[in-house]
Amino acid sequence: MWVSKIAALCLLAVASCAEVKDAKKLSTHATSLADTSANLAFNLYHNLAKETSQDNILVSPVVVASSMGLVALGGKSSTSSQVKTVLKADALKDEHLHTGLSELLSEVSDPAARNVTWKINNRLYGPSSVSFADEFVKSSKKHYNYEHSKINFRDKRSAINSINEWAAKSTDGKLPEITKDVKNTDGAMIINAMFFKPHWDEKFHHKMVDNRAFLVTRSYTVSVPMMHRTGLYPFHEDTENRLFVLNMPLAHKKSSVIFIMPYHVEPLERLEKLLTRQQLDKWISKMEERAVAVSLPKVSMEVSHDLQKHLGELGLTEVVDKSKADLSNISGKKDLYLSNVFHASAWEWDTEGNPFDTSIFGSDKLRNPKLFYADHPFIFVVKDNQTNSILYIGRLVKPKGDKMRDEL
């Protein structure tokens, strides 16, 4: 008897240690930056949405915040301090800004803890005349995992091919192209090349996939494979605003994809006017777990944004201005400005995830499910439940697929 009691106590101690390990908290610096990067998400999204209503959007606010941290690391005076202002981090010391951003991104992108596929590759390109300072190279690698490379735009086509080849190689071919052109070739370029693939907390059955119509508009339809499953999910129907909000946890339930979709096919401008952090929190607070029959496009998307102009609009006005930028920590000279910020991601919606709970099949729990049929444009947010940061925010407006027919 005493042996079994000791064994039970040992197991309890191990479990307690595991809980403590799992309950690891971020530093106060990282926590505050998680909060401000979440605000950055909506500002960036709205800026990108203003450019066009016809294109997909895919942006990672925590990665953008890290790129801004790199600007602060390479900048001096107001070029650097503007980063803190935009991130609402004026009270942080420089050291705490960099360690906080590094800690945040390392935590939310940890593949073992989050059980997601998220490859993040960053490179800073400089003109062929630049000499990277050793201290900057060391610090940017330590905090932001940046590579550094010189590039010569005398042969522009060759230079662009080189950038695209690096992106393709670093994402295992998932992101074949960052850009077709580079307009400003006389400055420093930040490039983020990423591949993200959600792994659902409960997978879709691989045989529950068939070709369906996705209505890009009322008059333009494409054929896409659609995956289906019925399960218990946090769900809210906003009848006043005529939209559905669905929370689909990812594996380990440390993060979720939150889908926001209007009742019927329509341009997303109306929904986007509603989209704020406060409104998202309000929708989440009204969610109730219930049976939902989910149908999602099983597609891939590759999206690249040049954020240089948008960062300027958010308040980073100096670093993007050739006459004002001071990035002398990068090279020891005040001869650089930020000419391009290519932020590119490949994303795969797939069936993969944890085994589904078969015990609820045939039970009352799955009776009368709500229908979430994503056959028209929607917005999605990948929210980290532990840090409350936003890993991605985007919209699927036009998935890849063959045109089917014009609707009447």
Side-chain angles (χ1 to χ4, degrees), residues 233-241 243 245-247 278-290:
Y233 294 106
F235 179 86
H236 172 62
E237 180 178 356
D238 184 339
T239 55
E240 179 183 353
N241 291 305
L243 57 88
V245 187
L246 171 69
N247 184 324
Q278 293 73 24
Q279 181 62 65
L280 181 65
D281 290 341
K282 184 177 179 180
W283 283 325
I284 291 172
S285 70
K286 291 185 176 182
M287 285 182 165
E288 295 182 357
E289 187 171 78
R290 60 161 303 143

Side-chain angles (χ1 to χ4, degrees), residues 3 10 17 52 64 116 121 136 155 159 208 233 289 302 313 342 362 370 374 383-384:
V3 174
C10 288
C17 288
T52 174
V64 174
V116 296
N121 303 277
F136 172 77
D155 185 346
M208 293 290 288
Y233 294 106
E289 187 171 78
E302 297 86 37
E313 291 171 350
F342 288 111
K370 282 285 186 178
K383 185 174 183 292
D384 187 72

Side-chain angles (χ1 to χ4, degrees), residues 278-325:
Q278 293 73 24
Q279 181 62 65
L280 181 65
D281 290 341
K282 184 177 179 180
W283 283 325
I284 291 172
S285 70
K286 291 185 176 182
M287 285 182 165
E288 295 182 357
E289 187 171 78
R290 60 161 303 143
V292 185
V294 180
S295 295
L296 289 177
K298 181 180 178 292
V299 294
S300 61
M301 56 192 291
E302 297 86 37
V303 183
S304 182
H305 302 288
D306 187 350
L307 299 180
Q308 192 247 23
K309 177 183 73 172
H310 301 293
L311 293 179
E313 291 171 350
L314 293 178
L316 294 187
T317 56
E318 285 202 8
V319 72
V320 299
D321 187 328
K322 191 187 303 187
S323 64
K324 296 180 180 179

Side-chain angles (χ1 to χ4, degrees), residues 79 124-127 183-190 308 317-328 330 333-340:
T79 298
L124 177 68
Y125 282 96
K183 293 180 181 178
N184 301 317
T185 60
D186 58 343
M189 291 195 305
I190 286 176
Q308 192 247 23
T317 56
E318 285 202 8
V319 72
V320 299
D321 187 328
K322 191 187 303 187
S323 64
K324 296 180 180 179
D326 185 351
L327 291 173
S328 50
I330 293 180
K333 299 177 183 178
K334 191 178 176 181
D335 58 354
L336 281 179
Y337 79 109
L338 190 60
S339 57
N340 299 275

Side-chain angles (χ1 to χ4, degrees), residues 120-154:
I120 304 172
N121 303 277
N122 304 304
R123 179 172 277 194
L124 177 68
Y125 282 96
S128 55
S129 59
V130 74
S131 294
F132 294 110
D134 291 342
E135 183 58 33
F136 172 77
V137 170
K138 181 180 176 182
S139 297
S140 59
K141 181 69 176 175
K142 173 185 175 183
H143 294 302
Y144 301 114
N145 198 29
Y146 260 77
E147 301 175 13
H148 307 81
S149 179
K150 297 181 183 183
I151 192 164
N152 190 335
F153 274 101
R154 286 183 181 176

Side-chain angles (χ1 to χ4, degrees), residues 69-81:
L70 184 80
V71 169
L73 190 67
K76 285 186 178 180
S77 304
S78 50
T79 298
S80 177
S81 62

